[in-house]
Amino acid sequence: LHVDRQVIGCSDHDGEQAYNLDGEEMWFADFIKREGVEPQPPFIDHMTYVDRAYQGAEVNQQICKTSLDVVRRAMKDFKIED
Protein backbone atom coordinates (compact mmCIF):
# COMPACT_ATOMS: atom_id res chain seq x y z
CA LEU A 1 0.00 0.00 0.00
CA HIS A 2 1.06 3.56 -0.72
CA VAL A 3 -0.08 6.88 0.69
CA ASP A 4 -0.73 9.49 -2.00
CA ARG A 5 -1.45 13.09 -0.96
CA GLN A 6 -2.29 16.29 -2.77
CA VAL A 7 -1.97 19.55 -0.84
CA ILE A 8 -3.60 22.78 -2.01
CA GLY A 9 -3.55 25.85 0.20
CA CYS A 10 -3.62 29.60 -0.11
CA SER A 11 -3.61 32.89 1.74
CA ASP A 12 -3.90 36.48 0.56
CA HIS A 13 -0.23 36.59 -0.39
CA ASP A 14 0.95 33.02 -0.80
CA GLY A 15 -0.10 29.61 -2.07
CA GLU A 16 0.97 26.01 -2.29
CA GLN A 17 0.20 22.94 -4.32
CA ALA A 18 2.17 19.73 -3.97
CA TYR A 19 1.88 16.01 -4.62
CA ASN A 20 3.43 13.52 -2.20
CA LEU A 21 3.86 9.76 -2.32
CA ASP A 22 4.69 7.86 0.86
CA GLY A 23 5.83 11.07 2.57
CA GLU A 24 8.16 12.12 -0.27
CA GLU A 25 7.46 15.23 -2.29
CA MET A 26 7.08 14.26 -5.95
CA TRP A 27 5.98 17.58 -7.47
CA PHE A 28 5.24 21.11 -6.32
CA ALA A 29 4.25 24.37 -7.96
CA ASP A 30 6.84 27.13 -7.69
CA PHE A 31 4.63 30.19 -8.02
CA ILE A 32 7.64 32.55 -7.99
CA LYS A 33 9.35 30.89 -10.97
CA ARG A 34 5.97 30.00 -12.50
CA GLU A 35 6.80 26.34 -13.09
CA GLY A 36 6.32 22.86 -11.71
CA VAL A 37 9.26 21.28 -9.87
CA GLU A 38 9.94 17.55 -9.60
CA PRO A 39 12.47 17.23 -6.72
CA GLN A 40 13.07 13.52 -7.10
CA PRO A 41 16.48 12.01 -6.41
CA PRO A 42 18.43 10.73 -9.43
CA PHE A 43 18.62 7.13 -8.19
CA ILE A 44 14.88 6.41 -8.64
CA ASP A 45 12.82 5.89 -11.75
CA HIS A 46 11.71 9.45 -12.40
CA MET A 47 7.96 10.07 -12.26
CA THR A 48 6.78 13.01 -14.29
CA TYR A 49 3.53 14.96 -14.24
CA VAL A 50 1.50 16.14 -17.19
CA ASP A 51 2.66 19.27 -18.96
CA ARG A 52 -0.33 21.27 -17.76
CA ALA A 53 0.06 20.45 -14.06
CA TYR A 54 1.40 23.93 -13.30
CA GLN A 55 -1.46 25.64 -15.15
CA GLY A 56 -3.88 23.53 -13.12
CA ALA A 57 -2.14 24.64 -9.93
CA GLU A 58 -2.64 28.30 -10.93
CA VAL A 59 -6.34 27.64 -11.50
CA ASN A 60 -6.59 25.90 -8.12
CA GLN A 61 -5.01 28.96 -6.45
CA GLN A 62 -7.67 31.23 -7.94
CA ILE A 63 -10.41 28.87 -6.76
CA CYS A 64 -8.84 28.71 -3.28
CA LYS A 65 -8.58 32.51 -2.99
CA THR A 66 -12.17 32.97 -4.20
CA SER A 67 -13.36 30.41 -1.62
CA LEU A 68 -11.34 32.19 1.07
CA ASP A 69 -13.08 35.48 0.25
CA VAL A 70 -16.52 33.82 0.32
CA VAL A 71 -15.86 32.24 3.72
CA ARG A 72 -14.56 35.54 5.13
CA ARG A 73 -17.73 37.35 4.05
CA ALA A 74 -19.95 34.57 5.36
CA MET A 75 -18.19 34.49 8.75
CA LYS A 76 -17.65 38.23 9.30
CA ASP A 77 -20.62 38.60 11.68
CA PHE A 78 -19.91 35.46 13.71
CA LYS A 79 -18.88 36.21 17.28
CA ILE A 80 -15.70 34.67 18.56
CA GLU A 81 -16.41 32.43 21.52
CA ASP A 82 -13.91 31.42 24.16
Side-chain angles (χ1 to χ4, degrees):
L1 287 174
H2 295 280
V3 177
D4 185 26
R5 288 198 173 104
Q6 177 184 15
V7 176
I8 300 173
C10 67
S11 69
D12 289 331
H13 307 290
D14 201 8
E16 180 177 0
Q17 180 158 337
Y19 297 102
N20 297 277
L21 180 64
D22 294 336
E24 298 292 329
E25 193 165 51
M26 302 303 291
W27 184 93
F28 69 91
D30 186 333
F31 293 114
I32 295 171
K33 293 182 180 177
R34 300 180 57 93
E35 65 184 19
V37 178
E38 297 174 340
Q40 301 165 36
F43 55 84
I44 67 167
D45 290 334
H46 189 81
M47 294 174 54
T48 190
Y49 288 80
V50 295
D51 293 335
R52 304 197 57 79
Y54 179 77
Q55 289 81 3
E58 285 185 327
V59 170
N60 288 337
Q61 286 301 296
Q62 291 303 316
I63 293 167
C64 185
K65 289 178 181 183
T66 300
S67 298
L68 187 60
D69 289 339
V70 168
V71 170
R72 279 189 181 138
R73 278 186 261 127
M75 306 266 314
K76 72 179 178 119
D77 294 329
F78 277 64
K79 294 183 181 186
I80 298 175
E81 297 179 12
D82 294 335

